[in-house]
Amino acid sequence: MTDRPLAVLADQVRGPRGWLPPSMANEEDDPVVQEIDVYLAKSLAEKLYLFQYPVRPASMTYDDIPHLSAKIKPKQQKVELEMAIDTLNPNYCRSKGEQIALNVDGACADETSTYSSKLMDKQTFCSSQTTSNTSRYAAALYRQGELHLTPLHGILQLRPSFSYLDKADAKHREREAANEAGDSSQDEAEEDVKQITVRFSRPESEQARQRRVQSYEFLQKKHAEEPWVHLHYHGLRDSRSEHERQYLLCQGSSGVENTELVKSPSEYLMMLMPPSQEEEKDKPVAPSNVLSMAQLRTLPLADQIKILMKNVKVMPFANLMSLLGPSVDSVAVLRGIQKVAMLVQGNWVVKSDILYPKDSSSPHSGVPAEVLCRGRDFVMWKFTQSRWVVRKEVAAVTKLCTEDVKDFLEHMAVVRINKGWEFILPYDGEFIKKHPDVVQRQHMLWTGIQAKLEKVYNLVKEAMPKKPDGQSGPVGLVSGDQRVQVAKRQAQQNHALLERELQRRKEQLQASAVLPGVRIKEEPMSEEGEDEEEREAEDEEEPMDTSPGGGLHGGLANGLPAGRAAGGDSFNGHPPSGSASTPVARELRAFVQATFQKQFVLTLSELKRLFNLHLASLPPGHMLFSGISDRMLQDTVLAAGCKQILVPFPPQTAASPDEQKVFALWESGDISDQHRQVLLEIFSKNYRVRRNMIQARLTQECGEDLSKQEVDKVLKDCCVSYGGMWYLKGTVQS
């Protein structure tokens, strides 16, 4: 496919002379009315499935039906969804639902019962593949004059499953067998002794084994042995769904990254007329890992960057530009390097999944690639915190063998006797100062990686030492002489402070002797008082760390102070302001209002995550990169018409402090405001509530004419259902 855009022709499908191909139509009758650029998005190419549901009323969407559970067998591409049935619908036959539940579960209900409410209140949908070849199908998304195509990995038809009838038949047969056993005489004599003949089976031949493996019973047994993987269902308007929907767009729409759609004339001619096999045999066979610079520069830019980083592993940006050539655009290189490498101390280190691709394993221990990538990411993250890493500490945390850990360290560090492993390249402060937007984005990526590592390795959150304001270099080791010098300077400063304090008290005593009726108010001038004031000022101006594990960074992002410079300046030199009249405050308030109009209820942790996604979509140098503190974000939320809901979390909750701060839109201007306010008052006194309690309270407060659709709407806006109970969004810990 060439780099020409797709041309949409008028009357091309059905022209004025009937069904004609474009080549036979007159150019004057079929003018080009619009040109649309087509892009291939591959982020979800191996994960995107199309579900075909049964016929439903046009007024109802499947997103309106509560999804109770979902599970999948990945190898078989088999999915089961469990959806709730509206038992309050006038078309629902309650007597029939009770009869079905009685036939399936019997009179006694326990934990294994299919219908715990003694009523058929849910239905299971099971999938089947419609076609084995999905290469001809793709999902298309049209946005701003661009058509983005994502190949489908599978197409599944969901049909109602009637497995509960099999369970009812089994219950019926068990009852009949029990009745027959009860009718038999209890005084029957013992059974006669029977002779048992023992036979030994002959060894299975290879042909018999192949027939057995290919039999229907064996395949059914193998399919049944594959375990179910439980899934979490996210609705259409859920924040996670909106985030995943962005992957349907091609990440690099400038044409540089779409190497499969953009071909040079020589490459396109080579595709049309490939060389003969005789010519290919004449070429000398070179080693697979050898590539000259002349051959390298014939490849697309993205492939050049990937090959260089995979072989070198650690490289400054200036060296990469010199290898690619002077004619290469630095902006395109920056965009490409971020896809294959991570920023560590101002230098670029190749990503772990490039070195350890999927389905590979360690040559030393046989550990899968996923575990190796996690361990190497931990080593890279440690180097973002310090110049030095100890191998034994890495091995103790990652639980990997010595050879694997040594490979990680040799990729990016050199060993120093009696000190540990030092990062192989010096700190690149010039790149940090020149590209603050790239540094900020990389900091956000490292924040997410850190949160994942803390969860996997159970790391203890400890406050890392912060660098003093204005320090541009990375954190390093402090020698004994340096500590002595620092202690001397501190003692001199303390001595000067004590001298000033003594002089001030002498002046106060002299003044009180002259004017005995006047008492001078004493202000704390000691070093502890000054430190406390400085800490309070820093807390008020500290930029927000919008991540679950921000405590481990201690204000450092790849060796850079996290937005705190001398004088209280923020990331890009703009002072943070809490005034509502500033452009930063107006932009922040617009984001908060737009977010709560979609979500209605958000925890502070979820709001900070959405704000991070919003920052990642903004162009470099935007005013919101000036640094937003937690306090400023919460004040903006309260000023935008929202209220904080004091949810009484249980004492043993695993929710973080940010997850326990719940904010809700109190007035949105629609007719559901009153219902939503009543619901929020309920959750200010209860952590989880049953639906019947919510229904009764809403009916009491809003009248008897409250319909089920109105109750479902307010529950869908503010709550999630889990285990038969309702929770405010973001508060349930599954």
Side-chain angles (χ1 to χ4, degrees):
M1 189 172 182
T2 64
D3 56 348
R4 296 182 179 180
L6 177 67
V8 180
L9 304 179
D11 297 332
Q12 181 173 326
V13 180
R14 184 174 179 86
R17 289 173 296 280
W19 296 92
L20 294 176
S23 59
M24 298 177 62
N26 192 350
E27 294 181 357
E28 296 180 358
D29 296 337
D30 295 325
V32 176
V33 296
Q34 186 181 2
E35 291 185 354
I36 302 175
D37 294 337
V38 180
Y39 298 97
L40 179 63
K42 301 180 66 176
S43 299
L44 299 178
E46 301 296 329
K47 306 174 184 177
L48 190 61
Y49 289 84
L50 174 64
F51 288 179
Q52 296 178 346
Y53 287 87
V55 178
R56 55 172 176 76
S59 59
M60 180 191 69
T61 63
Y62 280 98
D63 192 67
D64 298 328
I65 303 176
H67 289 63
L68 302 179
S69 65
K71 54 185 179 180
I72 185 174
K73 289 186 176 182
K75 293 183 180 178
Q76 304 177 36
Q77 292 189 1
K78 185 176 181 181
V79 176
E80 276 192 11
L81 295 180
E82 193 173 83
M83 297 186 182
I85 298 178
D86 185 8
T87 58
L88 301 180
N89 193 294
N91 298 324
Y92 179 82
C93 181
R94 190 174 183 86
S95 60
K96 190 67 176 179
E98 293 176 350
Q99 183 62 40
I100 292 176
L102 181 62
N103 294 339
V104 172
D105 298 326
C108 299
D110 52 14
E111 296 179 356
T112 61
S113 300
T114 304
Y115 305 110
S116 57
S117 62
K118 297 185 178 181
L119 190 68
M120 185 181 177
D121 55 354
K122 57 186 177 183
Q123 187 176 16
T124 302
F125 290 83
C126 189
S127 69
S128 61
Q129 293 189 20
T130 58
T131 177
S132 58
N133 183 15
T134 59
S135 59
R136 299 172 54 242
Y137 300 92
L141 183 62
Y142 181 79
R143 181 177 179 181
Q144 297 179 358
E146 298 176 351
L147 186 65
H148 299 259
L149 302 179
T150 302
L152 290 178
H153 189 61
I155 301 177
L156 304 178
Q157 281 188 351
L158 293 173
R159 299 177 179 176
S161 174
F162 303 96
S163 58
Y164 61 88
L165 297 179
D166 298 336
K167 190 174 181 180
D169 292 342
K171 289 278 186 181
H172 180 67
R173 287 193 295 268
E174 290 178 2
R175 286 194 293 267
E176 288 182 349
N179 292 335
E180 291 177 0
D183 295 337
S184 61
S185 174
Q186 301 294 329
D187 298 327
E188 291 180 355
E190 294 184 358
E191 295 183 1
D192 297 334
V193 177
K194 295 182 179 180
Q195 182 179 1
I196 299 176
T197 303
V198 179
R199 292 182 299 177
F200 297 91
S201 60
R202 292 179 297 176
E204 187 179 25
S205 63
E206 182 64 22
Q207 295 180 351
R209 191 190 68 81
Q210 292 182 357
R211 287 195 301 268
R212 180 177 60 83
V213 169
Q214 297 176 358
S215 64
Y216 176 78
E217 291 80 8
F218 182 82
L219 294 177
Q220 289 295 106
K221 181 181 178 182
K222 187 175 181 181
H223 288 169
E225 290 175 353
E226 183 181 359
W228 287 100
V229 178
H230 291 272
L231 306 175
H232 294 282
Y233 178 83
H234 299 277
L236 181 63
R237 294 194 302 173
D238 189 82
S239 60
R240 180 63 182 271
S241 301
E242 294 181 358
H243 174 66
E244 295 292 332
R245 199 175 297 120
Q246 297 299 319
Y247 289 111
L248 293 177
L249 299 174
C250 184
Q251 301 300 316
S253 59
S254 61
V256 178
E257 293 80 8
N258 297 327
T259 57
E260 297 183 6
L261 301 181
V262 180
K263 300 293 182 184
S264 63
S266 59
E267 293 174 340
Y268 187 63
L269 183 62
M270 186 69 68
M271 293 172 60
L272 295 178
M273 299 175 60
S276 61
Q277 296 182 358
E278 290 78 7
E279 295 178 357
E280 293 180 353
K281 291 180 180 178
D282 294 339
K283 296 180 180 179
V285 179
S288 58
N289 60 343
V290 176
L291 188 66
S292 65
M293 291 301 298
Q295 293 174 329
L296 181 68
R297 292 182 178 177
T298 61
L299 300 176
L301 180 60
D303 293 341
Q304 294 184 43
I305 297 173
K306 183 177 180 180
I307 291 173
L308 286 174
M309 292 305 305
K310 187 175 181 180
N311 286 273
V312 182
K313 297 182 178 59
V314 183
M315 190 186 307
F317 185 74
N319 292 11
L320 179 62
M321 290 298 299
S322 64
L323 291 174
L324 294 175
S327 61
V328 180
D329 184 17
S330 62
V331 178
V333 177
L334 271 177
R335 192 181 300 114
I337 189 65
Q338 295 184 64
K339 295 186 177 181
V340 297
M342 296 291 294
L343 191 65
V344 178
Q345 299 188 22
N347 301 281
W348 292 99
V349 182
V350 65
K351 290 185 176 179
S352 302
D353 55 359
I354 302 295
L355 296 180
Y356 304 107
K358 191 177 181 182
D359 298 331
S360 64
S361 59
S362 169
H364 306 293
S365 60
V367 174
E370 181 182 0
V371 180
L372 293 176
C373 291
R374 198 160 53 224
R376 188 174 181 274
D377 288 344
F378 176 75
V379 175
M380 294 169 62
W381 173 75
K382 290 290 289 182
F383 277 119
T384 64
Q385 308 297 312
S386 174
R387 288 284 301 175
W388 301 86
V389 168
V390 180
R391 181 179 57 84
K392 291 183 179 180
E393 178 186 352
V394 176
V397 174
T398 60
K399 302 297 189 295
L400 293 174
C401 69
T402 306
E403 290 79 7
D404 289 334
V405 176
K406 188 177 180 181
D407 285 348
F408 300 158
L409 294 170
E410 288 178 345
H411 291 168
M412 63 192 82
V414 291
V415 64
R416 304 295 186 194
I417 299 176
N418 297 330
K419 290 185 177 180
W421 291 79
E422 183 184 11
F423 193 67
I424 194 170
L425 294 178
Y427 180 81
D428 193 351
E430 182 179 354
F431 179 85
I432 294 293
K433 295 177 181 178
K434 190 175 180 180
H435 303 282
D437 52 340
V438 176
V439 173
Q440 172 66 10
R441 292 177 184 175
Q442 288 292 311
H443 172 54
M444 293 164 57
L445 292 176
W446 276 120
T447 302
I449 294 175
Q450 174 192 340
K452 187 184 299 184
L453 293 175
E454 289 174 354
K455 185 176 181 181
V456 172
Y457 293 134
N458 296 323
L459 301 179
V460 180
K461 296 185 178 182
E462 298 177 355
M464 299 296 295
K466 296 185 179 181
K467 291 192 300 181
D469 294 341
Q471 182 179 339
S472 60
V475 175
L477 293 180
V478 180
S479 64
D481 294 339
Q482 291 175 341
R483 293 181 180 178
V484 172
Q485 295 297 331
V486 171
K488 287 182 178 180
R489 286 196 297 269
Q490 237 175 5
Q492 292 174 359
Q493 293 175 359
N494 293 339
H495 180 72
L497 287 173
L498 291 175
E499 289 287 344
R500 288 198 298 269
E501 177 69 13
L502 181 60
Q503 184 64 26
R504 184 181 62 82
R505 294 200 176 186
K506 287 181 179 180
E507 293 176 356
Q508 288 180 359
L509 291 175
Q510 293 175 0
S512 60
V514 176
L515 299 175
V518 179
R519 184 174 181 270
I520 300 175
K521 181 181 178 181
E522 296 184 3
E523 296 292 341
M525 294 298 293
S526 64
E527 185 182 4
E528 295 179 357
E530 292 177 351
D531 292 344
E532 185 65 22
E533 292 175 359
E534 290 175 1
R535 285 194 294 269
E536 292 176 359
E538 288 176 357
D539 292 339
E540 292 177 358
E541 300 297 333
E542 184 175 359
M544 176 184 64
D545 180 10
T546 51
S547 69
L552 276 174
H553 278 290
L556 291 176
N558 301 325
L560 181 71
R564 188 182 301 176
D569 289 345
S570 189
F571 285 5
N572 297 332
H574 303 289
S577 175
S579 174
S581 61
T582 61
V584 176
R586 288 195 295 269
E587 283 286 333
L588 182 59
R589 180 159 183 168
F591 161 75
V592 169
Q593 290 176 342
T595 303
F596 275 93
Q597 284 292 340
K598 296 178 182 178
Q599 304 292 335
F600 293 103
V601 176
L602 286 171
T603 62
L604 180 59
S605 176
E606 178 68 9
L607 181 61
K608 288 160 69 174
R609 189 185 69 84
L610 295 176
F611 184 66
N612 270 341
L613 294 176
H614 180 64
L615 285 180
S617 65
L618 295 177
H622 194 273
M623 63 180 67
L624 284 183
F625 283 106
S626 60
I628 305 298
S629 64
D630 284 1
R631 182 175 179 180
M632 184 177 179
L633 183 63
Q634 295 180 62
D635 292 344
T636 305
V637 170
L638 297 176
C642 303
K643 289 188 178 182
Q644 183 175 359
I645 309 303
L646 302 178
V647 180
F649 283 84
Q652 68 277 12
T653 181
S656 64
D658 285 350
E659 292 175 343
Q660 296 186 29
K661 292 183 179 180
V662 185
F663 297 93
L665 182 62
W666 195 253
E667 293 182 357
S668 63
D670 58 7
I671 59 176
S672 301
D673 281 348
Q674 183 184 2
H675 307 156
R676 195 180 303 111
Q677 292 170 9
V678 173
L679 181 67
L680 295 175
E681 290 179 355
I682 295 175
F683 279 100
S684 66
K685 300 178 181 178
N686 300 276
Y687 172 63
R688 56 182 182 178
V689 188
R690 294 190 179 274
R691 181 189 173 94
N692 55 5
M693 178 180 176
I694 298 174
Q695 181 87 30
R697 181 67 181 275
L698 287 173
T699 304
Q700 178 184 356
E701 296 290 340
C702 305
E704 297 290 341
D705 56 346
L706 191 65
S707 63
K708 179 182 179 297
Q709 289 76 12
E710 293 175 333
V711 177
D712 291 341
K713 181 181 182 304
V714 71
L715 286 175
K716 185 178 179 182
D717 290 343
C718 303
C719 304
V720 292
S721 177
Y722 188 81
M725 304 294 289
W726 288 88
Y727 302 79
L728 278 184
K729 287 184 177 180
T731 61
V732 58
Q733 303 294 321
S734 58

